[in-house]
Amino acid sequence: MSEITSATNPRVKRLVALRRRRVRDAEGLVLVEGYEELDLAVTAGVAPLELYLCRELMAGDPRDLEARASAGAQVHHLSRAAFEKAAYRDGPDGWLAVVPRVESRLEDVPDEAAPLLIVCEAVEKPGNLGAILRTADAAGATAVISVDPVTDWGNPNIVRASKGAVFAVPVASVTRDEFLGWARDRGVLLVATTPDADGHVTDLDLTGPVAIALGSEKHGLSAEMLARADVRARLPMFGRVDSLNVGVTAAVVAYEAVRQRMQRDGSPPR
């Protein structure tokens, strides 16, 4: 099989272009870089359209993932120089794939009796969204819903920060009004996390249908979301800072819900 060696090769240029949202949106494609990220995506059922490999950068025996990821895909081998140009992170490990866009429709959120939803309103940083997705996957959450989103689920930094969990956890992107109407119709308890609340998250019953709402890093939840929430709650905090990183907050509250559900049922959520 021939190897792409030039960093100016048209295929390499196209991979670089897919880092931009407008290109991803226009082509309906997403980049997945890294062995762990691609392994999780393929395990979750994602079928790569194109697979780019650099043997020189790989460690260990790649044959199992290569066999699974290459089924039905165009496979291309790149030199180290060409791959490092195509890669979007420092220290690439020789794995890069092009996959279909992440579906993010509200109607695709699983219909569960007691869903555990994590709702992110205008959260800006892809790294935080990725961390929230990792928490959602680990905690067995039903879905992560982005309300009035600032970025798309195919952002390479979300894929990287989530370790590929964006392909394993159902996600949705909606307006605030769409989400509020959808949650009301399904009897979901909307919990607004805010440092200005009087009650603690640990005082709530999180065993039923619940949506944990988290606001942007700078401004928190909108006045509209706070006003229409069923309850406001904060984390027990005893130091001088008044809030935690949004990703950390999501993890603490999600695992409080997991603790309560395990205590009630004697088993994990799934």
Side-chain angles (χ1 to χ4, degrees):
M1 182 178 293
S2 63
E3 182 180 66
I4 296 172
T5 59
S6 172
T8 61
N9 181 279
R11 287 192 176 274
V12 174
K13 289 183 175 181
R14 177 169 167 273
L15 292 172
V16 173
L18 281 170
R19 300 176 195 175
R20 300 195 295 271
R21 180 173 182 174
R22 65 176 179 81
V23 178
R24 292 195 299 273
D25 288 346
E27 298 195 23
L29 300 173
V30 174
L31 292 172
V32 183
E33 183 183 340
Y35 180 94
E36 292 183 355
E37 291 83 349
L38 183 57
D39 185 40
L40 196 155
V42 171
T43 300
V46 174
L49 302 173
E50 302 167 28
L51 180 63
Y52 294 86
L53 305 172
C54 178
R55 300 288 185 201
E56 186 178 351
L57 292 170
M58 291 180 181
D61 186 351
R63 286 176 295 181
D64 174 64
L65 177 58
E66 184 175 347
R68 291 186 292 123
S70 62
Q74 297 179 22
V75 181
H76 304 278
H77 291 264
L78 277 65
S79 67
R80 181 170 189 151
F83 194 94
E84 288 178 341
K85 177 66 175 180
Y88 55 78
R89 64 184 186 184
D90 296 331
D93 64 4
W95 295 88
L96 180 63
V98 177
V99 306
R101 78 168 87 233
V102 180
E103 293 298 334
S104 56
R105 299 173 300 187
L106 202 53
E107 55 264 35
D108 291 335
V109 172
D111 186 13
E112 299 179 353
L116 173 58
L117 306 167
I118 301 178
V119 180
C120 307
E121 184 186 29
V123 172
E124 303 101 328
K125 297 180 180 177
N128 282 335
L129 287 167
I132 290 169
L133 282 161
R134 289 179 71 177
T135 291
D137 180 62
T142 306
V144 177
I145 299 173
S146 183
V147 170
D148 292 342
V150 178
T151 187
D152 64 310
W153 291 115
N155 184 298
N157 289 316
I158 290 181
V159 176
R160 177 174 58 180
S162 74
K163 284 293 190 181
V166 68
F167 301 105
V169 177
V171 296
S173 298
V174 294
T175 67
R176 182 177 58 217
D177 288 342
E178 285 173 333
F179 165 72
L180 290 170
W182 179 88
R184 182 187 62 245
D185 292 344
R186 285 158 181 77
V188 174
L189 178 75
L190 179 57
V191 177
T193 59
T194 171
D196 297 326
D198 294 327
H200 291 152
V201 166
T202 49
D203 297 327
L204 301 177
D205 180 358
L206 302 176
T207 60
V210 64
I212 301 162
L214 307 141
S216 69
E217 294 88 343
K218 185 175 182 180
H219 302 292
L221 288 167
S222 66
E224 179 74 7
M225 188 71 86
L226 289 169
R228 296 178 64 177
D230 297 298
V231 61
R232 303 182 190 184
R234 62 185 176 90
L235 300 180
M237 300 187 68
F238 309 102
R240 291 182 174 85
V241 297
D242 65 354
S243 64
L244 296 178
N245 169 275
V246 65
V248 174
T249 300
V252 172
V253 182
Y255 269 92
E256 172 59 18
V258 169
R259 182 193 68 80
Q260 292 183 20
R261 292 170 186 223
M262 291 182 68
Q263 188 174 56
R264 179 196 63 186
D265 300 333
S267 60
R270 292 179 180 173

